[in-house]
Amino acid sequence: MKHSLVIQGKGKQGKINKNIYGQFAEHLGRCIYEGMWVGEDSSIPNSGGIRNDVLEALRKLSIPVLRWPGGCFADEYHWKDGIGPKEQRKRMVNTHWGGVVENNHFGTHEFMQLCELLETEPYICGNVGSGSVQEMSEWVEYMTFDGESPMADWRRSNGREQPWKLKYFGVGNENWGCGGNMRADFYADQYRVFQTYVRNYGDNQIYKIAGGANVDDYNWTEVLIRDAGRLMDGLSLHNYTIAGSWENKRPALGFDEAEWFETMRKSLHMDELITRHSAIMDQYDPDKRVGLIVDEWGTWFKSEPGTNPGFLYQQNTMRDALVAALHLHIFHKHHQRVQMANIAQMVNVLQAMILTEGDSMLLTPTYHVFEMFKVHQDAEVLTAYAEAGAYGLNGEILPQVTLSASRQTNGDVYISLSNIDPASGAELELKLEGLSQLGEISGRVLTSDHMQAHNTFDQPDLVQPRAFTGFRAAGDDLLQVELPPLSVVVLKVKTA
Ligand code: AHR
């Protein structure tokens, strides 16, 4: 069947916040250690201990913001263990993730160095669950104070003269669970106290993010925004896309169409979650000053057989690519409230951009979606809607096609499209209303013949974007597009 899609060039609606393309890196499994940090003495080429191959690939994503050090790890992390000479740093047990030794070789200075190399804004998550107000306050002082003070002097003695710029700071993580098992009222009070001592030094202005709800815990959002809303800039939300159940997750590979369908349905549920959390926030914050920060999202499958289950290592297929496209389209749609999102996680953990094995690395299908979609970062949102057909299985239906469009300051329009049907292509009639004269059109596509398609260390380029030519102009403002089955496409339309 034919699908009718409309994109409107008139009427200003604001921007897609580039921070929606944020990443998350936790001290978990092989995300930091091996995945990024190999140490200065490694035989893997590195820049001050950070591996060059991974750095180079990540730079191509134009990552706007990077969240660290957790996750659940954040509420067990004591930052003072991770500064000073490496051989003297405390060795601790990473109790939450695999019970392995954490040697603290990657600490504040190394994280800030990583952000500088990636030209990324740091987003640091502080410890509420097992830390103190003083510890959190001193961390901010250590990083951002320019004058004479115990923490600033200590930073200098550790080799960093100038303070760093730090904008994003999270006051705890999942404090309803691994971050202290708190009730919403209790955490709201804790938040009020802790954030008081997260100071702005000099011209460094901190954007404070409160630990938010799990999935559909609307009560948590209500209590936080009601009782502490005026003291925060952002409120987080976590939701993972799980095939199967939390207790019995299905694997990343070897799935059938029913699991594919279930994964797409659960991804699309993010729209409802954001709509309902936002509606609560609107009651207390009608001007949308406080951002909804979706700082953990992505697929969570059963860990790869033969790996430490506490390391959350999973393969990444065309299914993940579609999950990424659906989520990014949903975040674009909610651009007025969703000010940041951070996919979990950047390397070797959950829905990763990159997988590594020794000195080899590969780019995942999810990486390619982030690379193709980066053109939307900070671009002007255009109204886009679809009268699209359905993709059905076993009596259930989902929208087959999703889309989003944005315009850059030079007038170029980018249209991203996804087709979740693994067997049927989609014929689109794309009407471009109110755009100035259409010029050259080009496109890229990420697709495969198989739902399970993924890159391996033997075949790292099996899934990668290719030039897309399945479109033709059918009038001044009409494009006909043939979307292949299970595909993600980005079209670039030049306007005069
Ligand atoms: O991303 C993995 C874990 O998921 C994080 O540590 C935690 O915040 C969430 O439960």
Side-chain angles (χ1 to χ4, degrees):
M1 80 165 275
K2 278 214 165 60
H3 307 253
S4 301
L5 275 50
V6 178
I7 290 167
Q8 291 173 336
K10 294 238 163 73
K12 296 251 180 242
Q13 288 191 61
K15 277 185 180 181
I16 295 171
N17 196 317
K18 66 177 177 184
N19 288 339
I20 282 171
Y21 287 81
Q23 298 280 338
F24 169 36
E26 180 167 10
H27 288 238
L28 193 178
R30 299 186 302 113
C31 183
I32 299 284
Y33 298 106
E34 286 187 45
M36 274 173 282
W37 177 260
V38 288
E40 291 94 331
D41 301 333
S42 171
S43 58
I44 299 176
N46 65 83
S47 303
I50 299 169
R51 57 190 292 173
N52 290 342
D53 53 352
V54 171
L55 261 182
E56 198 190 319
L58 290 175
R59 275 207 203 100
K60 293 190 183 136
L61 295 184
S62 307
I63 296 170
V65 60
L66 176 58
R67 179 174 185 248
W68 172 84
C72 294
F73 183 80
D75 284 271
E76 297 197 25
Y77 183 59
H78 300 285
W79 68 271
K80 291 178 186 172
D81 297 345
I83 55 170
K86 294 203 177 61
E87 59 289 354
Q88 288 168 25
R89 294 189 192 174
K90 214 183 253 180
R91 290 164 70 81
M92 64 181 270
V93 182
N94 191 334
T95 36
H96 213 91
W97 302 119
V100 291
V101 171
E102 159 67 57
N103 65 13
N104 275 303
H105 282 193
F106 190 90
T108 305
H109 289 250
E110 292 75 21
F111 173 64
M112 289 302 200
Q113 179 198 1
L114 172 63
C115 290
E116 282 172 1
L117 290 168
L118 291 174
E119 295 179 35
T120 292
E121 289 268 2
Y123 165 16
I124 288 192
C125 186
N127 181 344
V128 171
S130 70
S132 68
V133 174
Q134 181 180 358
E135 183 183 13
M136 185 179 286
S137 174
E138 287 183 339
W139 199 3
V140 175
E141 180 188 327
Y142 184 92
M143 291 185 281
T144 63
F145 188 60
D146 198 9
E148 188 186 333
S149 84
M151 293 302 120
D153 292 348
W154 197 14
R155 181 191 70 234
R156 287 187 198 100
S157 73
N158 285 327
R160 174 77 189 195
E161 182 60 34
Q162 295 303 318
W164 289 284
K165 280 277 168 241
L166 174 68
K167 182 164 178 188
Y168 299 104
F169 194 86
V171 181
N173 169 73
E174 296 197 351
N175 301 91
W176 40 261
C178 63
N181 283 308
M182 301 176 195
R183 290 173 297 104
D185 290 337
F186 182 76
Y187 173 69
D189 284 343
Q190 291 283 93
Y191 174 80
R192 291 166 64 113
V193 175
F194 273 73
Q195 68 78 35
T196 307
Y197 304 94
V198 173
R199 307 261 191 218
N200 291 326
Y201 292 109
D203 61 359
N204 190 70
Q205 291 290 314
I206 295 202
Y207 179 106
K208 297 175 191 170
I209 300 171
N214 187 31
V215 193
D216 56 357
D217 184 351
Y218 300 113
N219 177 58
W220 186 279
T221 295
E222 170 119 37
V223 171
L224 263 291
I225 192 80
R226 185 190 67 209
D227 295 349
R230 70 185 174 83
L231 301 171
M232 65 180 71
D233 301 295
L235 177 59
S236 75
L237 169 65
H238 289 182
N239 180 56
Y240 284 95
T241 306
I242 295 165
S245 61
W246 178 253
E247 297 73 25
N248 184 21
K249 299 185 189 76
R250 305 291 303 148
L253 297 177
F255 52 88
D256 59 14
E257 194 177 346
E259 281 174 40
W260 165 279
F261 189 93
E262 177 193 359
T263 310
M264 298 305 144
R265 177 170 49 72
K266 288 180 171 172
S267 297
L268 289 164
H269 183 56
M270 180 59 95
D271 193 11
E272 179 183 330
L273 292 176
I274 295 177
T275 303
R276 294 185 63 183
H277 284 287
S278 299
I280 295 166
M281 292 173 79
D282 285 349
Q283 288 171 33
Y284 299 90
D285 176 36
D287 297 335
K288 301 192 189 325
R289 185 190 63 80
V290 179
L292 184 61
I293 309 295
V294 189
D295 54 16
E296 287 189 29
W297 67 273
T299 55
W300 191 324
F301 300 122
K302 190 173 177 172
S303 297
E304 186 97 338
T307 63
N308 183 333
F311 281 14
L312 310 187
Y313 179 81
Q314 62 191 41
Q315 248 298 354
N316 192 294
T317 65
M318 275 305 296
R319 176 170 61 162
D320 296 79
L322 268 304
V323 169
L326 295 184
H327 277 83
L328 293 167
H329 284 166
I330 292 168
F331 298 149
H332 292 179
K333 175 178 159 193
H334 293 278
H335 66 277
Q336 289 176 338
R337 184 61 88 178
V338 179
Q339 293 182 9
M340 189 196 293
N342 309 72
I343 188 170
Q345 299 193 5
M346 197 154 74
V347 186
N348 287 334
V349 169
L350 298 175
Q351 191 175 349
M353 305 296 117
I354 291 178
L355 302 177
T356 69
E357 203 174 79
D359 61 0
S360 306
M361 61 153 241
L362 63 80
L363 308 178
T364 65
T366 300
Y367 174 98
H368 292 305
V369 172
F370 270 71
E371 191 276 321
M372 289 166 73
F373 277 39
K374 72 180 179 190
V375 288
H376 287 306
Q377 291 188 20
D378 270 352
E380 179 196 351
V381 192
L382 300 180
T383 302
Y385 55 88
E387 274 172 36
Y391 159 48
L393 191 75
N394 301 331
E396 270 190 278
I397 56 165
L398 298 173
Q400 183 183 350
V401 173
T402 67
L403 85 160
S404 187
S406 69
R407 177 164 46 202
Q408 305 207 324
T409 40
N410 67 1
D412 289 352
V413 170
Y414 284 93
I415 303 163
S416 47
L417 300 153
S418 74
N419 175 12
I420 60 171
D421 191 324
S424 306
E427 273 183 58
L428 314 183
E429 296 240 309
L430 193 57
K431 196 156 171 45
L432 304 164
E433 290 177 359
L435 291 173
S436 29
Q437 215 185 340
L438 303 187
E440 191 193 325
I441 303 171
S442 55
R444 292 167 82 205
V445 61
L446 189 72
T447 189
S448 167
D449 293 341
H450 310 287
M451 299 183 288
Q452 315 270 347
H454 60 278
N455 294 328
T456 63
F457 293 99
D458 292 334
Q459 289 186 292
D461 297 324
L462 213 55
V463 183
Q464 59 174 322
R466 297 173 206 283
F468 178 67
T469 52
F471 57 84
R472 66 177 197 90
D476 284 351
D477 63 355
L478 197 66
L479 271 185
Q480 287 178 342
V481 184
E482 290 265 347
L483 276 189
L486 61 102
S487 65
V488 179
V489 164
V490 175
L491 293 175
K492 174 180 182 182
V493 181
K494 283 198 150 301
T495 59

